[in-house]
Amino acid sequence: MPDRIRIEGATKNFGELKALNNVSMSVKAGETVVVIGPSGSGKSTLLRAVNRLEVLTEGDIWVDEDHVTHHGSDIRKIREEVGMVFQNFNLFPHLTVLQNVTLSPITVKKIPRAQAEARGMELLVRVGLSEKRDAWPEQLSGGQKQRVAIARALAMDPKVLLFDEPTSALDPEMVKEVLDVMLALAKEGMTMMVVTHEMGFAKAAADRVIFMDQGEIIESGTPKELFDHPKNERTAKFLAHIL
Amino acid sequence: MAEVKLNSLRIQITDGALIPDKGNKTVRASWKIALFGALGLLVFLPLYNMAPVQDFVLSLWAGLFPSPETNARLAEIHSGKYTNIWVDILLYLPDGLSVTFEVTLSSILLATLFGLAAGLGQISRVVLFNRIATVYVEVIRGIPLLVQIFYIYFALGNIFHLDGFFAAVLSMSFCYGAYMGEIFRAGIQAVPRGQMEAALALGLSRSQAIARIILPQTVKIILPAIGNEFIALLKDSSMVSVMALVDLLRLAKNYGSNHGDYFPPLTVVALVYLVMTLILSWLVAVMEERLNNNAR
């Protein structure tokens, strides 16, 4: 399988602070890679660099053949193919659920409204929210908001989905409904890079788990390897803390 | 959720009248006293100065404290030459009122355009736009409105032969555009950062994101502030009376100098301004409440 995301020597400095220090990794097509680590370990910064919401100080990132970190690249074209789901959902509060989902296909991809809405409804059915098509975001629960956000990202037919702590802002009883949707996506062969604290999800869905600390990748492996037999002391310590 | 709280974010800039929202009983009470007091005076003063009423009052007065002055005024009433100056002014008012409204409405529309341009310029990443917008806002806010009006009408008007109405609208909206620019800038920056990020992540360009995602949310945030500016502009429009433009204030001044008595016309005009701003501030409060109840 070819690499869908390739990160080489990613470094990001916030003033004195090294948020990322020479990080290299890749995500193969169809793979689900979960990135874990304590807060401030740089995992979100790394994820956000993949669609250039964060500009690297040094290093290169490719999505397929597209050179994300190169100045001359058409970043908008790349972002069309890289979906992103945020911790705080970031639904557009002045648009209905369906409008949230169809905005980008209509505005960016110039897909005819009727066609975009038909596709949007398919996706809302898929995340179990077709009856909310005309609801406003504020009328939804957190879990519903996040499922709409996933449908919105899927509406662009992305090659890759990035998840930035998608369940961290949710009440505990709503975590499962979001993880179920993500798990289904992983099983269908969507390429996913997921930053999360949900170890259950990592065990169930991840092909590989990457542990980061202080801007560096400490250890990576299959969920079984990493969770059951961590090689590094820091990994073991973190896991003991969180599991 | 944090988003819900952010939705009800509002900017408060109070150079307009105090807003009588339901929560503030003191402001609401004083609003009522001011409004009904002003309306009461506007009804009472013309009635009190009607010929029969004056006849009655002055006769009573002459009986108690006889004086040549009182007698002279009684004689005037009996001769039939007496005019009720308070009613007379009210009949003249509509002309000045329409000029005041025309200047205010045209200025607020143009000022909103200037303000939008200035606000977008202030957040622009293009250095040239950014500099132009920030310098505009700094310079204009640093020069008194009355000086700007004089400057545009007398100094520039002399060179370019500006029509009074045009000069009035231009100076008012140029000045208020700078204040509105600050409101737009603050409103745009009050939209959570995640909104722009989500739009960019979906492949929208920055300008698409601003037009489709940021500005629609900005409008809701700044609407009450713009309402306030409207009230302030209505009041400040009285400054254009220095031009050859007969607005409310100029009308009162003309009337006063023609009749040799400034007290009645200026009293009436002050009360009319007060009634208008009180009603407008109530409308702004209603609008604000609607926006709060319905965050969309």
Side-chain angles (χ1 to χ4, degrees), chain A:
Chain A
M1 275 290 186
D3 287 340
R4 180 127 289 172
I5 304 175
R6 192 149 55 90
I7 302 173
E8 284 181 7
T11 298
K12 173 77 185 181
N13 301 331
F14 291 113
E16 291 289 288
L17 183 82
K18 258 189 165 26
L20 290 175
N21 188 9
N22 197 20
V23 172
S24 298
M25 62 166 282
S26 63
V27 180
K28 292 188 194 321
E31 218 182 6
T32 294
V33 171
V34 169
V35 183
I36 60 172
S39 55
S41 60
K43 53 195 193 308
S44 281
T45 308
L46 182 67
L47 187 84
R48 288 160 54 84
V50 175
N51 64 353
R52 215 204 272 172
L53 284 184
E54 213 72 71
V55 178
L56 289 181
T57 312
E58 253 177 88
D60 294 282
I61 298 177
W62 286 267
V63 173
D64 281 344
E65 298 304 308
D66 298 318
H67 195 171
V68 177
T69 43
H70 185 255
H71 251 301
S73 313
D74 184 356
I75 188 63
R76 288 181 56 197
K77 264 268 149 331
I78 299 171
R79 283 172 177 159
E80 283 179 39
E81 302 184 323
V82 180
M84 184 151 189
V85 175
F86 298 86
Q87 179 176 352
N88 291 319
F89 330 123
N90 294 344
L91 291 186
F92 305 130
H94 59 300
L95 301 178
T96 65
V97 164
L98 186 61
Q99 285 169 342
N100 262 277
V101 176
T102 58
L103 173 84
S104 188
I106 293 172
T107 322
V108 177
K109 282 194 166 173
K110 310 287 179 209
I111 291 173
R113 177 174 300 274
Q115 197 185 326
E117 286 184 348
R119 171 82 178 124
M121 281 310 292
E122 276 176 39
L123 292 167
L124 287 179
V125 169
R126 187 159 163 193
V127 299
L129 288 170
S130 51
E131 80 281 8
K132 297 286 187 191
R133 57 172 285 170
D134 295 321
W136 300 98
E138 62 172 13
Q139 297 168 323
L140 304 180
S141 71
Q144 290 172 329
K145 281 183 192 169
Q146 197 58 300
R147 285 187 282 152
V148 172
I150 294 173
R152 179 175 71 176
L154 288 173
M156 293 298 278
D157 290 316
K159 294 196 280 199
V160 180
L161 271 185
L162 308 174
F163 292 86
D164 189 4
E165 305 203 21
T167 57
S168 297
L170 295 178
D171 293 333
E173 72 269 20
M174 291 168 185
V175 169
K176 188 174 179 302
E177 62 189 76
V178 172
L179 291 181
D180 283 347
V181 171
M182 290 168 61
L183 192 61
L185 283 170
K187 294 232 161 98
E188 285 164 31
M190 173 59 77
T191 308
M192 300 178 15
M193 184 169 166
V194 184
V195 169
T196 185
H197 295 293
E198 294 294 331
M199 298 304 144
F201 173 78
K203 280 178 184 164
D207 297 296
R208 266 185 310 130
V209 179
I210 289 175
F211 173 68
M212 284 184 72
D213 193 14
Q214 294 175 356
E216 291 175 10
I217 292 180
I218 306 300
E219 190 170 351
S220 88
T222 64
K224 212 169 169 47
E225 290 168 358
L226 199 104
F227 289 129
D228 297 345
H229 310 286
K231 293 190 195 84
N232 188 293
E233 194 187 327
R234 271 145 92 185
T235 320
K237 215 170 161 190
F238 174 74
L239 290 173
H241 219 74
I242 205 160
L243 287 178

Side-chain angles (χ1 to χ4, degrees), chain B residues 52-282:
Chain B
V53 180
Q54 282 295 300
D55 191 4
F56 175 73
V57 172
L58 287 173
S59 305
L60 214 65
W61 197 252
L64 289 171
F65 313 100
S67 82
E69 262 177 57
T70 317
N71 287 335
R73 290 179 66 187
L74 268 172
E76 192 195 347
I77 291 169
H78 292 146
S79 73
K81 279 181 191 159
Y82 174 79
T83 48
N84 185 343
I85 201 167
W86 297 85
V87 172
D88 203 34
I89 296 158
L90 287 176
L91 295 178
Y92 271 96
L93 267 189
D95 291 339
L97 208 56
S98 70
V99 170
T100 291
F101 268 122
E102 278 164 28
V103 170
T104 304
L105 281 173
S106 316
S107 301
I108 199 84
L109 289 177
L110 197 57
T112 307
L113 289 182
F114 282 143
L116 178 61
L120 287 174
Q122 280 178 291
I123 59 153
S124 173
R125 292 184 171 179
V126 182
V127 177
L128 181 69
F129 291 165
N130 195 297
R131 283 289 140 73
I132 292 175
T134 45
V135 169
Y136 162 62
V137 170
E138 279 308 312
V139 168
I140 294 301
R141 293 208 313 170
I143 301 174
L145 175 56
L146 192 54
V147 175
Q148 290 180 46
I149 289 173
F150 267 87
Y151 196 81
I152 290 187
Y153 184 62
F154 293 111
L156 296 181
N158 231 356
I159 305 169
F160 298 108
H161 302 289
L162 295 180
D163 158 61
F165 181 78
F166 183 74
V169 171
L170 193 67
S171 45
M172 297 288 298
S173 43
F174 208 60
C175 177
Y176 268 79
Y179 301 141
M180 303 262 266
E182 277 296 283
I183 294 175
F184 270 100
R185 183 195 54 73
I188 289 168
Q189 288 175 343
V191 176
R193 231 172 64 121
Q195 292 289 309
M196 175 58 97
E197 288 189 344
L200 292 179
L202 282 165
L204 274 73
S205 66
R206 241 180 93 83
S207 43
Q208 279 175 333
I210 286 173
R212 305 293 301 272
I213 304 301
I214 307 299
L215 282 183
Q217 298 183 56
T218 303
V219 169
K220 278 160 206 158
I221 295 172
I222 66 175
L223 221 47
I226 290 197
N228 259 326
E229 286 303 290
F230 185 85
I231 295 170
L233 206 153
L234 175 70
K235 290 187 295 179
D236 280 353
S237 75
S238 60
M239 289 191 207
V240 304
S241 59
V242 298
M243 305 177 180
L245 204 62
V246 186
D247 73 323
L248 264 183
L249 180 59
R250 179 61 172 255
L251 185 116
K253 191 173 161 267
N254 289 353
Y255 193 96
S257 68
N258 287 343
H259 292 75
D261 188 0
Y262 285 98
F263 185 75
L266 286 176
T267 305
V268 168
V269 161
L271 289 172
V272 167
Y273 271 117
L274 182 58
V275 169
M276 287 192 300
T277 53
L278 287 170
I279 291 174
L280 281 173
S281 58
W282 172 72

